[in-house]
Amino acid sequence: MRPEPGLVLENPASGTRTTFTATAASTDGAYVEVESTYPPHGPRPPVHHHPSQTEEFTVLTGALTVVRDGETFVAEQGTSFSVAPGQRHQMFNEGDVEAVLRWRTSPALRTDEMFCAVWQVAHDHDWRPDPADVYEVVCGFAAEFQLG
């Protein structure tokens, strides 16, 4: 699968949906941008960081709980926030309504490829991959994503 603007990655088991609005190829490597949907009371991603990338988020609808370097806050509709390189973080929806956010990662590196690879491993395992399989995939993207 090749990331391109308009590509939608939907996981029916988790209820997540990621739509590419810009890719590494379409921005000459400057950034990747997606619109991402978090279902109510959905799964929490692991605490992680990005060694050399900045992430910028704007909550379009709903609200997300954000944990960033030990600080916890709720980002509601219209709120923008960023995560600097190396900052440990995670985001999840504890609310009763779907949350949608715009998410830009700069520079792009291979972030869009990583999103597609993680989606593919879920798809290939009937939407419920073993965490070890997902871990193996993300280990191939150490410049973009690291646990802890």
Side-chain angles (χ1 to χ4, degrees), residues 69-87:
D69 274 350
E71 168 196 19
T72 302
F73 62 95
V74 175
E76 297 179 339
Q77 182 175 347
T79 301
S80 295
F81 62 95
S82 63
V83 176
Q87 279 191 308

Side-chain angles (χ1 to χ4, degrees), residues 16-123:
T16 59
R17 185 174 53 256
T18 301
T19 304
F20 287 98
T21 57
T23 64
S26 72
T27 66
D28 291 324
Y31 62 90
V32 169
E33 187 173 87
V34 298
E35 189 171 287
S36 198
T37 301
Y38 288 68
H41 308 285
R44 292 183 182 197
V47 174
H48 63 278
H49 69 277
H50 309 281
S52 62
Q53 295 171 295
T54 298
E55 292 182 301
E56 299 171 35
F57 301 92
T58 300
V59 180
L60 303 175
T61 63
L64 285 175
T65 299
V66 179
V67 180
R68 182 179 58 191
D69 274 350
E71 168 196 19
T72 302
F73 62 95
V74 175
E76 297 179 339
Q77 182 175 347
T79 301
S80 295
F81 62 95
S82 63
V83 176
Q87 279 191 308
R88 295 168 38 115
H89 63 283
Q90 73 179 154
M91 296 175 300
F92 43 91
N93 183 354
E94 293 184 305
D96 294 327
V97 298
E98 180 178 85
V100 179
L101 68 146
R102 184 179 315 111
W103 173 1
R104 180 178 286 198
T105 305
S106 305
L109 303 181
R110 294 174 49 225
T111 299
D112 50 6
E113 295 175 41
M114 181 184 71
F115 288 166
C116 289
V118 169
W119 180 89
Q120 191 67 55
V121 76
H123 175 269

Side-chain angles (χ1 to χ4, degrees), residues 123-135:
H123 175 269
D124 292 349
H125 291 88
D126 198 27
W127 304 114
R128 301 202 184 274
D130 185 286
D133 292 327
V134 177
Y135 179 72

